[in-house]
Amino acid sequence: MDRGMARLGFFSILYSIPMNIIVYPMIVLWTLLGILMLPVFFGIWKVIADWDNSRIMQFFIWIYGKGWVAIMLPFVRFSRTGFTRDLIGSSYVMVINHLSFFDFYCMGYLPFRRIAAAVRSWPFRMPWYAPFMRLAGYLDVESLGPVGSVSVGADILSKGGSVLFYPEGHRSKDGTLQRFFSGAFKLSVETGAKILPLCLTGTDVLLPPGRWWMLPARVCLVALPPIDPGNFAGPLAHIEMRKYTRAVMTEAVQGMRQW
């Protein structure tokens, strides 16, 4: 029995039966509908908004995430805090802890529409997602390498978008933050873009690594104050920034688990 099942009572686990019967087919239908309708809406949006292709695709992926949140609502309580008005509208290098396959779907709950995710290569091998990820300008950090990732990320930031990293690289199996990789922090130092730490809890109850049976959960998303790369100097600035960011996120996640 994993931590999520251990936390829940008998009736919550019983409630998961209709959840799984309803939610998985709904996600499949929502995905198929999105794939079928995308060419039509993409073309209409291209004419109306005159955005570039990556911005349009990022917007529709955000809409897709909104739909996923709506499907989950009868079984999952969502909450978010820290997203003040002065926070929204700027470009950031976002970093978020990683707990579940569903973590990225929760990004539909973010008040940011222009996000390019920086991920490893395996999602780009999923044929039902890969074309859309490439069209959205997502970063395949394994293929691009460190220099290429910084170059592509800098271009996205210069155009007003944000880049989202999972600095742990893998989903955490015990809910604690793992060691961070440096890519996001190198990009921040190179470009001067602030780091926006995002802390997520609850998706490890919903669908942790190693389990495909969903459970009802409370998913919380918290934005911490942005971290300015100008506060870190010297050739090891990205390492100091990485350590500081991981420390504040660890403290925040531990506090969120007490809610």
Side-chain angles (χ1 to χ4, degrees), residues 114-207:
R114 299 183 63 181
I115 298 175
V119 296
R120 301 179 65 192
S121 293
W122 68 265
F124 285 91
R125 292 194 286 268
M126 301 170 76
W128 56 93
Y129 284 144
F132 310 106
M133 295 169 66
R134 296 191 189 284
L135 190 56
Y138 284 14
L139 285 71
D140 178 350
V141 294
E142 286 184 306
S143 297
L144 288 169
V147 176
S149 296
V150 169
S151 175
V152 175
D155 184 57
I156 293 168
L157 292 165
S158 70
K159 295 177 180 175
S162 294
V163 184
L164 175 75
F165 283 82
Y166 294 92
E168 297 164 281
H170 300 273
R171 293 168 292 176
S172 173
K173 294 182 178 179
D174 61 5
T176 60
L177 269 70
Q178 308 164 89
R179 67 183 291 265
F180 278 11
F181 290 93
S182 295
F185 309 97
K186 287 181 178 177
L187 176 60
S188 174
V189 170
E190 289 279 341
T191 61
K194 294 180 180 177
I195 291 283
L196 180 61
L198 302 173
C199 299
L200 184 66
T201 58
T203 54
D204 52 338
V205 175
L206 173 63
L207 193 74

Side-chain angles (χ1 to χ4, degrees), residues 25-149:
M26 289 289 290
I27 291 175
V28 172
L29 286 173
W30 176 236
T31 303
L32 290 174
L33 181 65
I35 293 172
L36 291 173
M37 297 304 297
L38 179 66
V40 176
F41 285 105
F42 194 97
I44 293 173
W45 212 260
K46 184 76 175 176
V47 172
I48 293 175
D50 195 27
W51 292 351
D52 63 41
N53 291 345
S54 61
R55 184 176 179 182
I56 295 174
M57 196 65 242
Q58 289 167 14
F59 174 69
F60 281 114
I61 289 176
W62 180 74
I63 295 291
Y64 176 78
K66 288 281 186 189
W68 178 86
V69 170
I71 291 169
M72 286 291 181
L73 273 180
F75 307 98
V76 177
R77 286 188 297 158
F78 291 94
S79 67
R80 72 181 186 198
T81 57
F83 295 94
T84 55
R85 284 189 178 181
D86 59 335
L87 192 72
I88 301 168
S90 299
S91 296
Y92 296 101
V93 178
M94 301 176 176
V95 294
I96 187 168
N97 57 311
H98 200 6
L99 301 168
S100 168
F101 175 78
F102 276 155
D103 285 350
F104 190 73
Y105 292 68
C106 295
M107 297 305 99
Y109 204 53
L110 280 174
F112 296 88
R113 302 172 183 175
R114 299 183 63 181
I115 298 175
V119 296
R120 301 179 65 192
S121 293
W122 68 265
F124 285 91
R125 292 194 286 268
M126 301 170 76
W128 56 93
Y129 284 144
F132 310 106
M133 295 169 66
R134 296 191 189 284
L135 190 56
Y138 284 14
L139 285 71
D140 178 350
V141 294
E142 286 184 306
S143 297
L144 288 169
V147 176
S149 296

Side-chain angles (χ1 to χ4, degrees), residues 92-93 185 188-189 191-197 224-233 237-238 240-242 244-245:
Y92 296 101
V93 178
F185 309 97
S188 174
V189 170
T191 61
K194 294 180 180 177
I195 291 283
L196 180 61
L224 301 181
I227 299 170
D228 191 338
N231 295 330
F232 302 87
H238 65 285
E240 296 303 318
M241 195 179 188
R242 184 189 72 196
Y244 176 78
T245 304

